[in-house]
Amino acid sequence: MKAKRVKIRFTFILLALAVGLPGLVVPSSVALGQQIPSPDEFFGFQMGADRKLARWDRLVEYYNLLGEQSPRLHVVNMGPTTLGNPFLALYISSPENLARLEELRQMNATLSDPRGVPEAEIQRAVDQGKAVVVQTMGLHSSEVAASHRTDEEMMRILDNTVAIMIPCINPDGEIMITDWYNRWVGTEYEGVGMPWLYHHYIGHDNNRDAFQQNTVESQYGARILFRDWIPQAYIDHHQMGPYGARIYVPPYAEPIRPAGDPLVWREMSWYGAHIAYKEEEAGMSGVVNAAIYSGWGHFGFHWITPFHNIAGMLTESASARLATPLFLHPDQLEGSRRGMPDYEMQTTFPNPWPGGWWRVRDMVDRQKIAAIAALDIAARNRSTVLKNAYLKATRQTQRGVEGKPAAFVIPAAQHDPLTAQKMVNKLLGQGIEVHRASNDFTHAGRVYGAGSFVVSMAQPKIGVIRWLLGRTFYPDNSYTRDRDGNPIRPYDMSTDNIAEYMGVRVDPVDLAVETNLVRVADTIDPTGQVAKGQFGYVLDGRLNDSFKAVNLLWNGNVAVRRANQASAGLRAGDFIVFGSAPDALVAEVAEATGVDFHALDADASSASLSLTRPRIGMYQRYLGGNMDEGWTRWLLEHFSFPYTTLRDTEIKSSDLADDYDVIILPDDDVERMTGEEARDDGGGYRGPGRDQYPPEYRSGFGQEGVDALEAFVEGGGTLVTFAEASALPIEKFELPIRNVVDNVPSKEFWSPGSTLRVIVDNTDPLAYGMPENALAMFLGGNHAYQVLPSDRNHRIGRIVTFVDRDLLQSGWLIGEKHIAEKAAMVSVGHGEGKVVLIGFRAQHRAQTHGTFKLVFNALMSGANGSENIAAGGRGR
């Protein structure tokens, strides 16, 4: 699922099921009904034909047409996407099943959580329920194949299953890709990927959003999978790179992520074996299983579902060039670092594809077999599938009763209680049961205040809870290192602990909590309280949402100050709003953000500074887009920071300081920002080179842009850089800073998405509101800084510093000595301005709430100076 891969975005896998004509192969020239044209007739071309893509609006039209005519298809529009397009779910089953869909859903809920349910009711659900299988397509919109089929056994499948299809989980991207491809088909640029992200905000990262659900599309998918249905099986159909196996099917390769019920792993092997068998039966070569994709992956939909007791699976078909065929020579075909060391026959790859032309139609043929095969085995073994759902839920609950920890307590007393409540909402979005204490209580020698949350492990979703809230150590063994001892990169992050990401204190406890607990039934939506004082209001600077409140006040032209020292009950970093602010606006902002407006009863003028709203610009390049830039856009908009997108032309402007106080360079490598040739360091470009795109999309601001950015800083501006982008000012501006992990071999230093312990100088305005001890998300390519001796030492501030030992909180860390006591975030005075280098992912995927304030403070400092730099900085 790399960015160059392509995918099944729109599907006809089960439309023949919905129509229910035995023996009919769809598409065909035979009409599906008196008023329903075949897909060929409706779209004007065969599904899967070379150089032909159907657009989402037409697909929606066809799905709705079928839904109106077929008693076997129920089409649900779940709501608008990010850009306002319809998001569909297709329910495909027999007319009798669709007529009792809610009853079947309730039976399914009983089996997925049978606590307290009488045995007779459980048996009724097994006897009368139907196997539920969810399949998603088009999560990555550059993955464009389509699939369809029926045969004489489809009626059996319809009778015994409820098939829920999400035909495209990113409709906006489907439209973008289709329009882009059609624009260039027949030219020298046919088949090149889009220059920008194929999700408005997050591009390929949309399947990294299942556990936090920041986007509306993820929320729709999660509602079906984790709350409304909790199916017995789930398959996410993807496409991968073109130079290996033709299709990967379950099960996963090693290593396994523990804490799932063993049955769920056996089920994935069971489904996968049947899929592989059906592929071979149909004469499809190039099928591999138990390879390439490990059992420990990111917490996207197909990798998080096993811990919901769902057989969560993945298929990956080899790509072409969008809808354009690709020719592959035999010696171009290669193996994988996981479970397929060479491209040759093995027990999990008995029939290698020999090479030749590879087309969308080839993907279609394999994907349709995989999709139908999963339903086929569920239908043949309906009662076994349903009984196993009950067994998994029961056994996991019992493990929670007997194991340790027995629960996780989320104290009411938090550094940022509003963010803690957001985390609870994310747990609820996973369908996790959460309780809240009605009164103070003492447990294991600790006193917890009323309003504290308790997440018991004695519930079916113990596996999800363990990984979202429990400390995590990625395995370091023969499965995760190559024969030379080099670590093999995890498939994404080595931890997905949302409490650590969000800066929320969570206490694991070994005994069940016994106090007056009330189940949290609905999403928490706090309303801030307003108390007006003699001198106005105070907003707590420790709250992320206070920054949003300030932005909303600025929208209403309300003046805001910020405390720069502790005084009169204020903390440094608290926001001050005068009592002249309109009462109605204050009440509106409090309701919208949940932030309390506390009474200010003392004059704080001498202990505060006036704030000016920062004028923010952020660089956005082409070359496939930059997901860190997209996530940062999402973050700024979510917290109501206005900003301007800067392309190359704007960056090269000589008058940047006239329009901007702060410019952001999201995480990126220098070459892709400047447009220079990639260095011969074994890395090279990530994704297609510049010359593969049409000339107008060959971005890079060159030396002219570098000079303009340096002039902007020297003239008083603030340049904020994230992670790898920090190399640009270090190198090009010749800052006296060194990245100590640059070019260090992975055997010596390695941190593939880990939470590391840091100390924060929260007396510096760039760290106002932060706790002194925090966690930083550190990925490959991130920076750790050493300040080089120079006559500018006094102009450098160390804002965040790695601790001296035991750096790892969760994930995988090799060689902590390389970064111990080194700076993770520095501010460097340069001319009249400054460069703020944030070496780690402080706003990673808009998930690391615990370090958002470092970003927000950097933005606000751009318009309001920095005492640290002006005074010389005391560092740490």
Side-chain angles (χ1 to χ4, degrees):
M1 294 176 295
K2 302 293 186 186
K4 284 184 67 176
R5 301 173 183 171
V6 289
K7 161 128 198 159
I8 297 183
R9 308 179 296 183
F10 48 85
T11 77
F12 290 89
I13 291 177
L14 297 180
L15 292 184
L17 278 171
V19 177
L21 296 180
L24 179 64
V25 177
V26 179
S28 80
S29 59
V30 180
L32 301 178
Q34 290 185 346
Q35 300 179 30
I36 307 178
S38 71
D40 293 8
E41 294 166 339
F42 185 85
F43 293 100
F45 56 86
Q46 184 185 41
M47 295 296 97
D50 291 346
R51 298 178 173 85
K52 297 292 184 181
L53 296 178
R55 202 171 188 269
W56 180 244
D57 52 353
R58 289 285 285 162
L59 289 161
V60 170
E61 184 180 349
Y62 191 63
Y63 293 138
N64 285 329
L65 178 63
L66 287 177
E68 293 168 1
Q69 299 294 326
S70 172
R72 299 174 180 85
L73 173 64
H74 179 48
V75 180
V76 176
N77 184 345
M78 298 190 70
T81 63
T82 297
L83 297 183
N85 293 296
F87 187 100
L88 301 186
L90 312 181
Y91 291 76
I92 305 167
S93 192
S94 68
E96 294 77 14
N97 289 342
L98 291 180
R100 55 191 286 255
L101 204 57
E102 178 57 25
E103 180 187 1
L104 294 174
R105 191 188 72 81
Q106 293 291 345
M107 289 181 180
N108 216 54
T110 293
L111 296 175
S112 64
D113 187 358
R115 291 176 295 168
V117 178
E119 185 176 344
E121 190 171 337
I122 292 169
Q123 189 59 51
R124 175 178 172 272
V126 171
D127 293 340
Q128 299 182 22
K130 305 298 177 182
V132 180
V133 179
V134 175
Q135 302 191 55
T136 51
M137 309 287 176
L139 198 150
H140 292 144
S141 295
S142 59
E143 302 172 2
V144 301
S147 193
H148 35 267
R149 170 198 169 176
T150 188
D151 58 34
E152 65 276 5
E153 293 193 341
M154 290 304 182
M155 294 304 103
R156 172 182 53 79
I157 294 176
L158 287 169
D159 288 341
N160 288 283
T161 66
V162 174
I164 303 175
M165 303 295 295
I166 300 177
C168 184
I169 206 165
N170 182 14
D172 300 340
E174 198 280 341
I175 292 171
M176 294 181 202
I177 287 286
T178 299
D179 290 347
W180 171 261
Y181 180 79
N182 290 337
R183 176 181 174 186
W184 298 103
V185 70
T187 75
E188 62 181 303
Y189 302 110
E190 176 182 317
V192 70
M194 282 201 323
W196 52 83
L197 299 173
Y198 52 68
H199 180 282
H200 178 68
Y201 290 114
I202 61 177
H204 195 85
D205 265 354
N206 59 350
N207 71 334
R208 272 70 170 171
D209 190 39
F211 76 105
Q212 291 235 14
Q213 300 168 33
N214 283 323
T215 63
V216 67
E217 294 87 357
S218 297
Q219 293 162 19
Y220 293 144
R223 185 192 309 168
I224 289 174
L225 284 167
F226 306 147
R227 290 180 289 163
D228 289 354
W229 280 95
I230 314 178
Q232 283 77 52
Y234 166 69
I235 304 182
D236 196 6
H237 296 283
H238 282 259
Q239 289 175 227
M240 58 184 175
Y243 292 101
R246 296 301 88 192
I247 185 171
Y248 154 81
V249 303
Y252 297 111
E254 303 299 339
I256 189 175
R257 188 193 283 248
D261 187 271
L263 262 177
V264 82
W265 295 99
R266 296 298 187 184
E267 285 177 324
M268 287 185 274
S269 295
W270 185 50
Y271 281 100
H274 191 67
I275 292 170
Y277 176 82
K278 287 295 185 180
E279 297 279 1
E280 297 293 350
E281 183 181 69
M284 297 297 167
S285 60
V287 181
V288 69
N289 54 9
I292 307 177
Y293 299 95
S294 72
W296 187 312
H298 59 71
F299 258 5
F301 286 106
H302 58 81
W303 265 311
I304 197 172
T305 36
F307 304 97
H308 286 268
N309 303 319
I310 300 165
M313 296 168 284
L314 170 70
T315 72
E316 293 269 359
S317 296
S319 301
R321 298 178 61 240
L322 297 179
T324 298
L326 178 66
F327 188 87
L328 292 96
H329 297 278
D331 61 349
Q332 292 178 309
L333 299 169
E334 56 191 18
S336 166
R337 59 187 175 180
R338 291 189 181 92
M340 189 184 172
D342 299 296
Y343 190 88
E344 60 185 22
M345 185 182 297
Q346 61 184 48
T347 57
T348 57
F349 189 57
N351 185 13
W353 182 69
W357 282 106
W358 183 250
R359 293 178 160 84
V360 171
R361 188 70 210 179
D362 297 313
M363 308 172 216
V364 167
D365 290 340
R366 286 162 175 78
Q367 289 283 15
K368 71 183 181 184
I369 292 169
I372 298 298
L375 287 165
D376 176 55
I377 194 170
R380 291 175 185 273
N381 299 277
R382 181 197 60 79
S383 61
T384 297
V385 167
L386 296 179
K387 182 180 178 182
N388 284 347
Y390 162 75
L391 290 175
K392 287 179 291 186
T394 302
R395 292 172 179 176
Q396 285 290 80
T397 301
Q398 190 60 32
R399 290 184 182 102
V401 171
E402 298 172 353
K404 294 180 179 181
F408 290 93
V409 180
I410 306 166
Q414 296 280 344
H415 183 82
D416 183 348
L418 291 180
T419 294
Q421 291 176 10
K422 290 180 182 179
M423 189 192 77
V424 170
N425 286 340
K426 293 179 185 296
L427 298 177
L428 296 174
Q430 294 289 326
I432 292 170
E433 184 177 281
V434 181
H435 288 83
R436 196 170 196 174
S438 303
N439 46 262
D440 296 351
F441 66 96
T442 300
H443 186 83
R446 287 180 171 172
V447 178
Y448 294 97
S452 295
F453 298 96
V454 177
V455 183
S456 171
M457 294 293 271
Q459 58 177 299
K461 297 195 178 192
I462 175 180
V464 184
I465 300 166
R466 185 263 172 271
W467 295 115
L468 293 184
L469 298 181
R471 195 176 180 190
T472 302
F473 296 105
Y474 190 81
D476 186 348
N477 56 35
S478 60
Y479 291 125
T480 59
R481 292 191 186 240
D482 64 21
R483 63 185 65 185
D484 297 321
N486 299 301
I488 299 173
R489 184 174 299 280
Y491 205 94
D492 202 57
M493 311 295 289
S494 57
T495 182
D496 293 292
N497 184 303
I498 62 172
E500 294 172 7
Y501 281 18
M502 298 181 74
V504 177
R505 176 186 155 195
V506 174
D507 297 337
V509 296
D510 289 342
L511 297 174
V513 176
E514 296 181 359
T515 189
N516 186 18
L517 297 174
V518 178
R519 182 168 181 173
V520 181
D522 298 309
T523 299
I524 302 168
D525 187 17
T527 296
Q529 303 300 306
V530 176
K532 191 172 186 177
Q534 180 182 355
F535 290 88
Y537 311 93
V538 178
L539 307 184
D540 190 339
R542 297 173 300 175
L543 307 179
N544 287 342
D545 287 299
S546 287
F547 290 86
K548 182 173 184 176
V550 168
N551 279 317
L552 295 177
L553 291 168
W554 274 334
N555 288 347
N557 297 314
V558 173
V560 179
R561 298 179 66 84
R562 198 170 195 192
N564 61 349
Q565 57 184 282
S567 173
L570 299 175
R571 301 178 187 86
D574 285 350
F575 297 100
I576 297 168
V577 181
F578 293 122
S580 58
D583 292 346
L585 177 62
V586 168
E588 179 183 325
V589 172
E591 182 176 7
T593 62
V595 173
D596 290 336
F597 282 66
H598 298 284
L600 177 63
D601 291 319
D603 186 357
S605 299
S606 61
S608 64
L609 299 173
S610 178
L611 286 184
T612 301
R613 186 170 214 170
R615 300 170 300 165
I616 301 167
M618 181 163 58
Y619 178 58
Q620 183 185 87
R621 62 161 169 82
Y622 290 121
L623 303 179
N626 179 351
M627 286 180 284
D628 195 58
E629 181 273 334
W631 280 113
T632 306
R633 269 190 285 118
W634 185 97
L635 181 66
L636 295 180
E637 292 176 19
H638 190 73
F639 284 89
S640 299
F641 282 93
Y643 66 93
T644 301
T645 291
L646 305 178
R647 293 284 192 185
D648 296 323
T649 301
E650 290 83 10
I651 287 287
K652 291 186 284 189
S653 171
S654 61
D655 56 358
L656 287 169
D658 292 344
D659 299 314
Y660 304 103
D661 302 302
V662 185
I663 292 177
I664 301 170
L665 296 182
D667 179 38
D668 208 354
D669 63 71
V670 173
E671 292 76 24
R672 291 184 76 78
M673 289 187 283
T674 63
E676 300 170 1
E677 290 298 321
R679 301 175 221 177
D680 187 17
D681 61 1
Y685 282 125
R686 296 192 297 268
R690 295 175 69 249
D691 60 355
Q692 295 186 37
Y693 291 100
E696 59 266 44
Y697 299 109
R698 296 174 186 174
S699 60
F701 49 69
Q703 187 61 44
E704 186 179 358
V706 171
D707 293 342
L709 287 170
E710 186 166 20
F712 165 75
V713 175
E714 289 177 335
T718 296
L719 181 65
V720 179
T721 63
F722 298 144
E724 196 170 354
S726 302
L728 187 141
I730 291 174
E731 297 173 11
K732 304 297 185 180
F733 301 178
E734 298 183 352
L735 302 181
I737 299 292
R738 182 174 78 91
N739 172 22
V740 299
V741 294
D742 188 29
N743 294 322
V744 177
S746 61
K747 275 201 295 189
E748 297 181 24
F749 178 77
W750 183 247
S751 179
S754 306
T755 51
L756 306 183
R757 296 190 182 102
V758 294
I759 299 172
V760 181
D761 181 6
N762 55 15
T763 65
D764 190 294
L766 290 169
Y768 278 167
M770 287 289 296
E772 184 174 2
N773 297 288
L775 296 172
M777 170 50 65
F778 201 92
L779 304 172
N782 289 186
H783 289 189
Y785 300 118
Q786 177 185 9
V787 180
L788 301 177
S790 75
D791 58 1
R792 301 163 66 183
N793 287 345
H794 64 290
R795 303 207 64 206
I796 298 173
R798 291 165 60 106
I799 314 303
V800 180
T801 303
F802 293 105
V803 299
D804 59 349
R805 64 175 66 87
D806 298 327
L807 276 70
L808 181 65
Q809 177 66 23
S810 283
W812 189 10
L813 178 63
I814 298 171
E816 71 170 26
K817 66 181 182 181
H818 288 278
I819 63 173
E821 297 187 285
K822 296 299 189 293
M825 175 181 172
V826 297
S827 181
V828 183
H830 193 67
E832 297 300 316
K834 63 179 179 290
V835 182
V836 179
L837 308 174
I838 305 177
F840 58 97
R841 297 292 283 272
Q843 63 352 333
H844 178 65
R845 294 175 180 159
Q847 296 171 349
T848 51
H849 294 242
T851 48
F852 283 176
K853 282 184 284 290
L854 296 172
V855 177
F856 298 160
N857 285 325
L859 300 180
M860 287 196 170
S861 76
N864 300 282
S866 171
E867 289 183 333
N868 173 276
I869 296 303
R874 67 181 180 84
R876 196 166 185 83

